[in-house]
C-alpha cells in the first residue's frame, strides 16, 4: 500500500544525531528517503556531503548515499508526507518542571496534520514520556478523524543506540515496536525490516517504558559509584579499592566505576518517568548525586589546596562521553563554570568538540590542578600523564575520577602518581 502522493519510501524529520544516521542507513539499504530539518546549516553540510558531527563510519555512508541520489532534503516538515513512512527523530528535552518538553513534536504534528492521508505511518523514534504515542494517535483522530491502526498507522520505535555505534547497533539491537491499534506494529515492522536486527512487537506504553527505563537503569547504576566516591572521601577510604573489594570474585557484585555521568539522554530521560512516579523523588535523588560530582571534585581540590583564585586549572575534556564530540548536557561545562566562579584561571582542552579549546600543551603548561573531565582515549594514553608530570607546575594535583592511568586515586599529586608507576 502506498499513499496517493508517495514519492519516497521514508521521511526522517530531524536530522540530528539519531535522525541523520538513520536516514543515511535507510538510503544505504536502497530506500528512497526524504530528510527534513529546519536548520539550514545542518542541511547545507549534508548537501555538501559533510557529516555535521562525529559518528563512526557515517561519513563514508553519507558519501555513498550522496552519489546514489536516494536522499533528498527539505526544510519543510510538510514535505515529509511525500513518503509513506514518516519517522520523527526530533529532540525531546525536559522542562525544569519535571515534565517532557514536546514542543518540537507538537509543532511537527501540526505541520503534518493537513497533509497526512490514508496509508501513512507515523513513527516516533524520539524518546518520549509514557503515554505520548497514544497522545499522538489521539491527536490525529481528534483533528482528522483517522482510524489509527487501519487507515493511518502510529507506533513508537525507540532509538536505543549509543553515540558512535549507530551503524553497528542498527543491525544488532532488537528493534522494539509499539504500534497503536490493529495493524500499526505490522506496517512499521515492514520499514524496519530494512535492517538485520530482530523486531520485537509490544504495546506503545511498554515500548516507551522500556526505552526510558533502560536509560534510568544506566543513570542509577552510575550514581551508585559516584555516591560511593563521595562517601569514601568522607571516610578517607579509596573508592577504587572498595569497588575492587565489592566486585572481586563475587557473583553478586558488579558495581560500576565513578565518573561524570550526564549527556543529553541520561540527564533528562529520568524526568519522563519522574513526571508521574509512584515514588516521587527517588530518581531526582539519583540525578542530584550525578549532578553533584563536579562540586564534589571542586571541594576536594579546595580541601587540599585552599583557594583557587588566580591559580591555573587545566580541564581535559568537554564532551559528555569518551570518544564523542557531543557536549550537550556535559558536566564538564558545569565544572568549568564552577571553577570560574572560584576565580581560577581555567584552561580547557578537548580534541573532539566544536567549542574552541586550547591545545593540550597550552592547557597543562604550569597548571597547578588538572581535572580529567572526559576519559577520551587520547587522555588514557600513558604519554599524557608523562607530559603532565613534565609540563604542569611542580606537583600538580591531578583529579581523575575515571582512573585513566590505573593509579586508583581520585586526587593525587603528580609525584605520587609517578611513584605509583601510574600510566607505565
Ligand atoms: N543522541 C543520542 O544518542 C540518542 C540516543 C537515543 C535516543 N535519542 C533521542 O532521540 C531524539 C533525538 O535526539 P538527537 O540527539 O538526535 O537530537 P538532535 O538535537 O541532535 O536532533 C534534532 C534535530 O531536529 C532538528 N529540528 C528541531 N526542530 C525541528 C523542526 N521543528 N523541524 C525540523 N527539524 C527540527 C534540529 O535542527 C536537529 O537537527 C531525542 O528524543 C533523544 O532523546 C537520542
Amino acid at each position: 500500500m502506498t499513499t496517493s502522493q508517495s514519492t519516497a519510501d521514508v521521511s526522517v524529520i530531524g536530522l540530528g544525531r539519531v535522525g541523520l544516521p538513520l536516514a543515511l542507513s535507510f538510503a544505504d539499504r536502497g530506500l528512497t528517503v526524504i530528510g527534513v530539518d529546519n536548520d539550514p546549516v545542518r542541511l547545507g553540510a549534508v548537501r555538501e556531503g559533510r557529516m555535521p558531527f562525529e559518528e563512526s563510519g557515517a561519513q563514508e555512508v553519507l558519501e555513498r548515499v550522496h552519489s546514489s541520489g536516494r536522499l533528498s532534503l527539505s526544510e519543510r516538515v510538510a514535505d515529509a508526507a511525500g513518503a509513506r513512512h514518516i519517522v520523527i527523530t526530533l529532540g525531546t528535552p525536559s522542562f525544569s518542571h519535571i515534565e517532557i518538553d514536546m514542543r518540537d513534536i507538537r509543532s511537527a504534528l501540526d505541520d503534518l496534520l493537513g497533509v497526512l492521508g490514508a496509508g501513512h505511518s507515523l513513527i516516533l523514534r524520539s524518546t518520549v514520556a509514557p503515554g505520548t504515542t497514544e497522545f499522538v494517535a489521539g491527536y490525529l483522530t481528534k483533528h482528522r478523524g483517522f482510524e489509527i491502526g487501519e487507515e493511518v498507522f502510529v507506533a513508537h520505535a525507540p532509538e536505543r543506540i549509543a553515540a558512535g555505534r549507530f551503524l553497528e547497533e542498527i543491525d544488532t539491537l532488537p528493534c522494539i515496536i509499539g504500534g497503536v491499534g490493529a495493524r500499526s506494529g505490522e506496517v512499521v515492522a515492514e520499514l524496519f525490516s530494512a535492517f538485520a536486527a530482530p523486531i520485537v512487537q509490544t504495546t506503545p506504553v511498554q515500548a516507551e517504558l522500556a526505552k526510558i527505563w533502560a536509560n534510568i537503569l544506566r543513570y542509577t547504576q552510575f550514581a551508585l559509584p559516584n555516591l560511593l566516591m563521595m562517601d569514601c572521601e568522607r571516610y578517607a577510604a579509596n573508592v577504587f579499592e572498595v569497588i575492587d573489594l565489592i566486585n572481586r570474585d563475587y557473583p553478586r557484585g558488579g558495581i560500576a566505576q565513578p565518573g561524570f555521568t550526564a549527556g543529553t539522554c541520561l540527564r533528562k530521560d529520568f524526568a519522563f518517568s519522574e513526571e508521574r512516579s509512584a515514588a516521587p523523588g527517588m530518581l531526582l535523588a539519583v540525578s542530584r548525586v550525578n549532578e553533584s560530582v563536579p562540586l564534589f571534585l571542586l571541594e576536594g581540590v579546595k580541601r587540599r589546596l585552599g583557594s583557587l583564585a588566580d591559580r591555573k586549572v587545566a580541564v581535559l575534556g568537554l564532551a559528555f562521553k569518551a570518544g564523542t564530540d557531543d557536549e550537550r548536557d556535559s558536566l564538564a561545562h558545569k565544572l568549568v563554570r564552577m571553577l570560574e566562579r572560584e576565580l581560577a584561571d581555567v584552561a580547557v582542552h578537548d580534541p573532539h568538540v566544536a567549542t574552541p579549546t586550547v591545545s593540550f600543551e597550552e592547557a597543562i603548561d604550569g597548571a597547578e590542578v588538572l581535572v580529567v573531565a572526559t576519559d577520551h582515549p587520547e587522555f588514557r594514553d600513558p604519554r599524557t600523564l608523562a607530559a603532565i608530570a613534565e609540563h604542569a607546575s611542580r606537583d600538580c594535583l591531578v583529579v581523575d575520577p575515571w582512573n585513566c592511568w590505573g593509579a586508583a586515586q581520585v586526587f593525587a599529586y603528580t609525584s605520587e602518581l609517578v611513584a605509583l608507576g601510574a600510566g607505565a
Side-chain angles (χ1 to χ4, degrees), residues 146-175:
F146 292 129
E147 192 180 344
I148 305 300
E150 293 294 348
E151 195 182 358
V152 166
F153 308 98
V154 173
H156 182 41
E159 182 58 80
R160 303 194 300 151
I161 55 114
R165 297 204 202 137
F166 191 100
L167 297 180
E168 171 202 330
E169 294 193 343
I170 191 70
D171 280 314
T172 54
L173 287 187
C175 173

PDB file of all heavy atoms in Angstrom, residues 146-175:
ATOM      1  N   PHE A 146      -8.950  10.168  11.665  1.00  0.00           N
ATOM      2  CA  PHE A 146      -8.376   8.903  11.171  1.00  0.00           C
ATOM      3  C   PHE A 146      -8.648   7.747  12.131  1.00  0.00           C
ATOM      4  O   PHE A 146      -8.592   7.928  13.357  1.00  0.00           O
ATOM      5  CB  PHE A 146      -6.854   9.013  11.024  1.00  0.00           C
ATOM      6  CG  PHE A 146      -6.401   9.944   9.951  1.00  0.00           C
ATOM      7  CD1 PHE A 146      -5.454  10.929  10.216  1.00  0.00           C
ATOM      8  CD2 PHE A 146      -6.910   9.840   8.647  1.00  0.00           C
ATOM      9  CE1 PHE A 146      -5.018  11.793   9.224  1.00  0.00           C
ATOM     10  CE2 PHE A 146      -6.474  10.705   7.650  1.00  0.00           C
ATOM     11  CZ  PHE A 146      -5.530  11.683   7.945  1.00  0.00           C
ATOM     12  N   GLU A 147      -8.838   6.571  11.573  1.00  0.00           N
ATOM     13  CA  GLU A 147      -8.872   5.373  12.407  1.00  0.00           C
ATOM     14  C   GLU A 147      -7.447   4.823  12.462  1.00  0.00           C
ATOM     15  O   GLU A 147      -6.910   4.335  11.451  1.00  0.00           O
ATOM     16  CB  GLU A 147      -9.819   4.331  11.808  1.00  0.00           C
ATOM     17  CG  GLU A 147     -10.080   3.226  12.807  1.00  0.00           C
ATOM     18  CD  GLU A 147     -11.025   2.162  12.244  1.00  0.00           C
ATOM     19  OE1 GLU A 147     -11.691   2.447  11.231  1.00  0.00           O
ATOM     20  OE2 GLU A 147     -11.050   1.066  12.794  1.00  0.00           O
ATOM     21  N   ILE A 148      -6.844   4.969  13.627  1.00  0.00           N
ATOM     22  CA  ILE A 148      -5.416   4.624  13.751  1.00  0.00           C
ATOM     23  C   ILE A 148      -5.269   3.100  13.842  1.00  0.00           C
ATOM     24  O   ILE A 148      -5.951   2.435  14.613  1.00  0.00           O
ATOM     25  CB  ILE A 148      -4.785   5.299  14.988  1.00  0.00           C
ATOM     26  CG1 ILE A 148      -4.994   6.822  14.952  1.00  0.00           C
ATOM     27  CG2 ILE A 148      -3.291   4.954  15.091  1.00  0.00           C
ATOM     28  CD1 ILE A 148      -4.400   7.554  13.776  1.00  0.00           C
ATOM     29  N   GLY A 149      -4.374   2.589  13.025  1.00  0.00           N
ATOM     30  CA  GLY A 149      -4.147   1.136  13.012  1.00  0.00           C
ATOM     31  C   GLY A 149      -4.868   0.470  11.852  1.00  0.00           C
ATOM     32  O   GLY A 149      -4.632  -0.701  11.563  1.00  0.00           O
ATOM     33  N   GLU A 150      -5.746   1.226  11.164  1.00  0.00           N
ATOM     34  CA  GLU A 150      -6.440   0.686   9.988  1.00  0.00           C
ATOM     35  C   GLU A 150      -6.194   1.578   8.777  1.00  0.00           C
ATOM     36  O   GLU A 150      -5.929   1.102   7.684  1.00  0.00           O
ATOM     37  CB  GLU A 150      -7.960   0.625  10.237  1.00  0.00           C
ATOM     38  CG  GLU A 150      -8.373  -0.366  11.304  1.00  0.00           C
ATOM     39  CD  GLU A 150      -8.108  -1.820  10.913  1.00  0.00           C
ATOM     40  OE1 GLU A 150      -7.803  -2.088   9.727  1.00  0.00           O
ATOM     41  OE2 GLU A 150      -8.167  -2.699  11.800  1.00  0.00           O
ATOM     42  N   GLU A 151      -6.259   2.880   9.010  1.00  0.00           N
ATOM     43  CA  GLU A 151      -6.200   3.844   7.911  1.00  0.00           C
ATOM     44  C   GLU A 151      -4.849   4.565   7.918  1.00  0.00           C
ATOM     45  O   GLU A 151      -4.144   4.649   6.917  1.00  0.00           O
ATOM     46  CB  GLU A 151      -7.343   4.836   8.163  1.00  0.00           C
ATOM     47  CG  GLU A 151      -7.751   5.710   7.047  1.00  0.00           C
ATOM     48  CD  GLU A 151      -8.859   6.660   7.527  1.00  0.00           C
ATOM     49  OE1 GLU A 151      -9.293   6.579   8.703  1.00  0.00           O
ATOM     50  OE2 GLU A 151      -9.261   7.513   6.725  1.00  0.00           O
ATOM     51  N   VAL A 152      -4.497   5.071   9.088  1.00  0.00           N
ATOM     52  CA  VAL A 152      -3.186   5.705   9.334  1.00  0.00           C
ATOM     53  C   VAL A 152      -2.564   4.935  10.500  1.00  0.00           C
ATOM     54  O   VAL A 152      -3.282   4.464  11.390  1.00  0.00           O
ATOM     55  CB  VAL A 152      -3.369   7.203   9.673  1.00  0.00           C
ATOM     56  CG1 VAL A 152      -2.107   7.807  10.258  1.00  0.00           C
ATOM     57  CG2 VAL A 152      -3.779   7.980   8.421  1.00  0.00           C
ATOM     58  N   PHE A 153      -1.234   4.808  10.454  1.00  0.00           N
ATOM     59  CA  PHE A 153      -0.565   3.937  11.431  1.00  0.00           C
ATOM     60  C   PHE A 153       0.358   4.779  12.315  1.00  0.00           C
ATOM     61  O   PHE A 153       1.050   5.669  11.818  1.00  0.00           O
ATOM     62  CB  PHE A 153       0.217   2.847  10.685  1.00  0.00           C
ATOM     63  CG  PHE A 153      -0.659   2.131   9.698  1.00  0.00           C
ATOM     64  CD1 PHE A 153      -0.647   2.478   8.347  1.00  0.00           C
ATOM     65  CD2 PHE A 153      -1.562   1.166  10.123  1.00  0.00           C
ATOM     66  CE1 PHE A 153      -1.499   1.864   7.442  1.00  0.00           C
ATOM     67  CE2 PHE A 153      -2.424   0.535   9.223  1.00  0.00           C
ATOM     68  CZ  PHE A 153      -2.391   0.888   7.875  1.00  0.00           C
ATOM     69  N   VAL A 154       0.346   4.482  13.596  1.00  0.00           N
ATOM     70  CA  VAL A 154       1.185   5.223  14.551  1.00  0.00           C
ATOM     71  C   VAL A 154       1.894   4.212  15.451  1.00  0.00           C
ATOM     72  O   VAL A 154       1.266   3.269  15.951  1.00  0.00           O
ATOM     73  CB  VAL A 154       0.334   6.181  15.421  1.00  0.00           C
ATOM     74  CG1 VAL A 154       1.180   6.817  16.523  1.00  0.00           C
ATOM     75  CG2 VAL A 154      -0.305   7.270  14.556  1.00  0.00           C
ATOM     76  N   ALA A 155       3.203   4.411  15.638  1.00  0.00           N
ATOM     77  CA  ALA A 155       3.941   3.494  16.522  1.00  0.00           C
ATOM     78  C   ALA A 155       5.095   4.233  17.182  1.00  0.00           C
ATOM     79  O   ALA A 155       5.565   5.261  16.684  1.00  0.00           O
ATOM     80  CB  ALA A 155       4.489   2.311  15.726  1.00  0.00           C
ATOM     81  N   HIS A 156       5.538   3.677  18.298  1.00  0.00           N
ATOM     82  CA  HIS A 156       6.792   4.121  18.916  1.00  0.00           C
ATOM     83  C   HIS A 156       7.834   3.049  18.619  1.00  0.00           C
ATOM     84  O   HIS A 156       7.610   1.869  18.897  1.00  0.00           O
ATOM     85  CB  HIS A 156       6.602   4.267  20.432  1.00  0.00           C
ATOM     86  CG  HIS A 156       7.814   4.772  21.153  1.00  0.00           C
ATOM     87  ND1 HIS A 156       8.615   5.776  20.659  1.00  0.00           N
ATOM     88  CD2 HIS A 156       8.367   4.407  22.349  1.00  0.00           C
ATOM     89  CE1 HIS A 156       9.607   6.013  21.515  1.00  0.00           C
ATOM     90  NE2 HIS A 156       9.479   5.194  22.540  1.00  0.00           N
ATOM     91  N   ALA A 157       8.937   3.479  18.011  1.00  0.00           N
ATOM     92  CA  ALA A 157      10.051   2.550  17.743  1.00  0.00           C
ATOM     93  C   ALA A 157      11.293   3.236  18.302  1.00  0.00           C
ATOM     94  O   ALA A 157      12.024   3.914  17.581  1.00  0.00           O
ATOM     95  CB  ALA A 157      10.180   2.297  16.249  1.00  0.00           C
ATOM     96  N   PRO A 158      11.508   3.119  19.615  1.00  0.00           N
ATOM     97  CA  PRO A 158      12.543   3.936  20.260  1.00  0.00           C
ATOM     98  C   PRO A 158      13.948   3.663  19.735  1.00  0.00           C
ATOM     99  O   PRO A 158      14.282   2.530  19.430  1.00  0.00           O
ATOM    100  CB  PRO A 158      12.436   3.535  21.738  1.00  0.00           C
ATOM    101  CG  PRO A 158      11.760   2.199  21.743  1.00  0.00           C
ATOM    102  CD  PRO A 158      10.851   2.194  20.554  1.00  0.00           C
ATOM    103  N   GLU A 159      14.722   4.746  19.644  1.00  0.00           N
ATOM    104  CA  GLU A 159      16.141   4.624  19.282  1.00  0.00           C
ATOM    105  C   GLU A 159      16.921   4.259  20.525  1.00  0.00           C
ATOM    106  O   GLU A 159      16.820   4.940  21.535  1.00  0.00           O
ATOM    107  CB  GLU A 159      16.649   5.958  18.717  1.00  0.00           C
ATOM    108  CG  GLU A 159      18.089   5.923  18.270  1.00  0.00           C
ATOM    109  CD  GLU A 159      18.312   4.858  17.217  1.00  0.00           C
ATOM    110  OE1 GLU A 159      17.988   5.103  16.042  1.00  0.00           O
ATOM    111  OE2 GLU A 159      18.797   3.769  17.582  1.00  0.00           O
ATOM    112  N   ARG A 160      17.682   3.177  20.460  1.00  0.00           N
ATOM    113  CA  ARG A 160      18.403   2.736  21.653  1.00  0.00           C
ATOM    114  C   ARG A 160      19.911   2.666  21.434  1.00  0.00           C
ATOM    115  O   ARG A 160      20.643   2.154  22.276  1.00  0.00           O
ATOM    116  CB  ARG A 160      17.863   1.370  22.104  1.00  0.00           C
ATOM    117  CG  ARG A 160      16.353   1.448  22.354  1.00  0.00           C
ATOM    118  CD  ARG A 160      15.834   0.268  23.102  1.00  0.00           C
ATOM    119  NE  ARG A 160      16.059  -0.982  22.413  1.00  0.00           N
ATOM    120  CZ  ARG A 160      16.217  -2.152  23.030  1.00  0.00           C
ATOM    121  NH1 ARG A 160      16.192  -2.207  24.342  1.00  0.00           N
ATOM    122  NH2 ARG A 160      16.394  -3.255  22.333  1.00  0.00           N
ATOM    123  N   ILE A 161      20.379   3.191  20.304  1.00  0.00           N
ATOM    124  CA  ILE A 161      21.810   3.126  20.003  1.00  0.00           C
ATOM    125  C   ILE A 161      22.619   4.019  20.953  1.00  0.00           C
ATOM    126  O   ILE A 161      22.089   4.964  21.519  1.00  0.00           O
ATOM    127  CB  ILE A 161      22.118   3.577  18.557  1.00  0.00           C
ATOM    128  CG1 ILE A 161      21.536   4.966  18.326  1.00  0.00           C
ATOM    129  CG2 ILE A 161      21.658   2.592  17.537  1.00  0.00           C
ATOM    130  CD1 ILE A 161      22.514   6.033  18.093  1.00  0.00           C
ATOM    131  N   ALA A 162      23.900   3.702  21.065  1.00  0.00           N
ATOM    132  CA  ALA A 162      24.828   4.593  21.771  1.00  0.00           C
ATOM    133  C   ALA A 162      25.571   5.392  20.712  1.00  0.00           C
ATOM    134  O   ALA A 162      25.915   4.853  19.647  1.00  0.00           O
ATOM    135  CB  ALA A 162      25.802   3.773  22.595  1.00  0.00           C
ATOM    136  N   ALA A 163      25.808   6.670  21.013  1.00  0.00           N
ATOM    137  CA  ALA A 163      26.546   7.517  20.073  1.00  0.00           C
ATOM    138  C   ALA A 163      27.863   6.839  19.704  1.00  0.00           C
ATOM    139  O   ALA A 163      28.534   6.255  20.549  1.00  0.00           O
ATOM    140  CB  ALA A 163      26.818   8.872  20.722  1.00  0.00           C
ATOM    141  N   GLY A 164      28.206   6.908  18.425  1.00  0.00           N
ATOM    142  CA  GLY A 164      29.455   6.315  17.955  1.00  0.00           C
ATOM    143  C   GLY A 164      29.311   4.862  17.526  1.00  0.00           C
ATOM    144  O   GLY A 164      30.198   4.289  16.917  1.00  0.00           O
ATOM    145  N   ARG A 165      28.159   4.241  17.846  1.00  0.00           N
ATOM    146  CA  ARG A 165      27.987   2.816  17.494  1.00  0.00           C
ATOM    147  C   ARG A 165      26.767   2.604  16.612  1.00  0.00           C
ATOM    148  O   ARG A 165      26.239   1.498  16.520  1.00  0.00           O
ATOM    149  CB  ARG A 165      27.801   1.994  18.772  1.00  0.00           C
ATOM    150  CG  ARG A 165      28.980   2.026  19.659  1.00  0.00           C
ATOM    151  CD  ARG A 165      28.997   0.794  20.557  1.00  0.00           C
ATOM    152  NE  ARG A 165      29.813   1.110  21.707  1.00  0.00           N
ATOM    153  CZ  ARG A 165      29.514   0.802  22.950  1.00  0.00           C
ATOM    154  NH1 ARG A 165      28.442   0.117  23.214  1.00  0.00           N
ATOM    155  NH2 ARG A 165      30.309   1.135  23.932  1.00  0.00           N
ATOM    156  N   PHE A 166      26.273   3.693  16.016  1.00  0.00           N
ATOM    157  CA  PHE A 166      24.997   3.611  15.295  1.00  0.00           C
ATOM    158  C   PHE A 166      25.005   2.520  14.230  1.00  0.00           C
ATOM    159  O   PHE A 166      24.114   1.674  14.179  1.00  0.00           O
ATOM    160  CB  PHE A 166      24.667   4.971  14.648  1.00  0.00           C
ATOM    161  CG  PHE A 166      23.264   5.011  14.132  1.00  0.00           C
ATOM    162  CD1 PHE A 166      22.264   5.619  14.853  1.00  0.00           C
ATOM    163  CD2 PHE A 166      22.925   4.398  12.924  1.00  0.00           C
ATOM    164  CE1 PHE A 166      20.949   5.620  14.398  1.00  0.00           C
ATOM    165  CE2 PHE A 166      21.623   4.391  12.461  1.00  0.00           C
ATOM    166  CZ  PHE A 166      20.643   5.003  13.194  1.00  0.00           C
ATOM    167  N   LEU A 167      26.033   2.571  13.363  1.00  0.00           N
ATOM    168  CA  LEU A 167      25.993   1.709  12.181  1.00  0.00           C
ATOM    169  C   LEU A 167      26.090   0.234  12.542  1.00  0.00           C
ATOM    170  O   LEU A 167      25.572  -0.617  11.829  1.00  0.00           O
ATOM    171  CB  LEU A 167      27.114   2.106  11.212  1.00  0.00           C
ATOM    172  CG  LEU A 167      26.991   3.532  10.663  1.00  0.00           C
ATOM    173  CD1 LEU A 167      28.138   3.843   9.723  1.00  0.00           C
ATOM    174  CD2 LEU A 167      25.646   3.743   9.973  1.00  0.00           C
ATOM    175  N   GLU A 168      26.709  -0.040  13.673  1.00  0.00           N
ATOM    176  CA  GLU A 168      26.810  -1.432  14.129  1.00  0.00           C
ATOM    177  C   GLU A 168      25.487  -1.832  14.805  1.00  0.00           C
ATOM    178  O   GLU A 168      24.903  -2.873  14.504  1.00  0.00           O
ATOM    179  CB  GLU A 168      27.996  -1.470  15.106  1.00  0.00           C
ATOM    180  CG  GLU A 168      28.213  -2.699  15.888  1.00  0.00           C
ATOM    181  CD  GLU A 168      29.040  -2.356  17.153  1.00  0.00           C
ATOM    182  OE1 GLU A 168      29.863  -1.414  17.125  1.00  0.00           O
ATOM    183  OE2 GLU A 168      28.820  -3.046  18.162  1.00  0.00           O
ATOM    184  N   GLU A 169      24.977  -0.948  15.684  1.00  0.00           N
ATOM    185  CA  GLU A 169      23.847  -1.350  16.525  1.00  0.00           C
ATOM    186  C   GLU A 169      22.500  -1.328  15.789  1.00  0.00           C
ATOM    187  O   GLU A 169      21.578  -2.007  16.205  1.00  0.00           O
ATOM    188  CB  GLU A 169      23.795  -0.464  17.777  1.00  0.00           C
ATOM    189  CG  GLU A 169      25.015  -0.707  18.668  1.00  0.00           C
ATOM    190  CD  GLU A 169      24.916  -0.123  20.076  1.00  0.00           C
ATOM    191  OE1 GLU A 169      24.054   0.750  20.321  1.00  0.00           O
ATOM    192  OE2 GLU A 169      25.708  -0.535  20.920  1.00  0.00           O
ATOM    193  N   ILE A 170      22.416  -0.591  14.671  1.00  0.00           N
ATOM    194  CA  ILE A 170      21.140  -0.563  13.940  1.00  0.00           C
ATOM    195  C   ILE A 170      20.810  -1.958  13.403  1.00  0.00           C
ATOM    196  O   ILE A 170      19.650  -2.303  13.198  1.00  0.00           O
ATOM    197  CB  ILE A 170      21.175   0.498  12.791  1.00  0.00           C
ATOM    198  CG1 ILE A 170      19.778   0.726  12.212  1.00  0.00           C
ATOM    199  CG2 ILE A 170      22.165   0.149  11.693  1.00  0.00           C
ATOM    200  CD1 ILE A 170      18.811   1.424  13.090  1.00  0.00           C
ATOM    201  N   ASP A 171      21.832  -2.781  13.201  1.00  0.00           N
ATOM    202  CA  ASP A 171      21.602  -4.132  12.685  1.00  0.00           C
ATOM    203  C   ASP A 171      21.603  -5.197  13.769  1.00  0.00           C
ATOM    204  O   ASP A 171      21.386  -6.364  13.471  1.00  0.00           O
ATOM    205  CB  ASP A 171      22.695  -4.480  11.653  1.00  0.00           C
ATOM    206  CG  ASP A 171      22.383  -3.861  10.302  1.00  0.00           C
ATOM    207  OD1 ASP A 171      21.220  -3.973   9.859  1.00  0.00           O
ATOM    208  OD2 ASP A 171      23.288  -3.255   9.707  1.00  0.00           O
ATOM    209  N   THR A 172      21.885  -4.799  15.000  1.00  0.00           N
ATOM    210  CA  THR A 172      22.014  -5.829  16.035  1.00  0.00           C
ATOM    211  C   THR A 172      21.059  -5.656  17.216  1.00  0.00           C
ATOM    212  O   THR A 172      20.549  -6.637  17.749  1.00  0.00           O
ATOM    213  CB  THR A 172      23.469  -5.873  16.578  1.00  0.00           C
ATOM    214  OG1 THR A 172      23.825  -4.561  17.002  1.00  0.00           O
ATOM    215  CG2 THR A 172      24.444  -6.356  15.523  1.00  0.00           C
ATOM    216  N   LEU A 173      20.816  -4.403  17.643  1.00  0.00           N
ATOM    217  CA  LEU A 173      19.950  -4.207  18.812  1.00  0.00           C
ATOM    218  C   LEU A 173      18.517  -4.552  18.441  1.00  0.00           C
ATOM    219  O   LEU A 173      18.006  -4.044  17.440  1.00  0.00           O
ATOM    220  CB  LEU A 173      19.960  -2.734  19.251  1.00  0.00           C
ATOM    221  CG  LEU A 173      21.185  -2.172  19.938  1.00  0.00           C
ATOM    222  CD1 LEU A 173      20.891  -0.768  20.436  1.00  0.00           C
ATOM    223  CD2 LEU A 173      21.627  -3.067  21.074  1.00  0.00           C
ATOM    224  N   PRO A 174      17.835  -5.379  19.228  1.00  0.00           N
ATOM    225  CA  PRO A 174      16.433  -5.660  18.924  1.00  0.00           C
ATOM    226  C   PRO A 174      15.652  -4.357  18.740  1.00  0.00           C
ATOM    227  O   PRO A 174      15.801  -3.417  19.519  1.00  0.00           O
ATOM    228  CB  PRO A 174      15.959  -6.427  20.165  1.00  0.00           C
ATOM    229  CG  PRO A 174      17.198  -7.065  20.701  1.00  0.00           C
ATOM    230  CD  PRO A 174      18.314  -6.104  20.415  1.00  0.00           C
ATOM    231  N   CYS A 175      14.860  -4.311  17.672  1.00  0.00           N
ATOM    232  CA  CYS A 175      14.093  -3.099  17.349  1.00  0.00           C
ATOM    233  C   CYS A 175      12.699  -3.244  17.974  1.00  0.00           C
ATOM    234  O   CYS A 175      11.894  -4.055  17.531  1.00  0.00           O
ATOM    235  CB  CYS A 175      14.020  -2.965  15.827  1.00  0.00           C
ATOM    236  SG  CYS A 175      12.947  -1.631  15.282  1.00  0.00           S
TER     237      CYS A 175
END
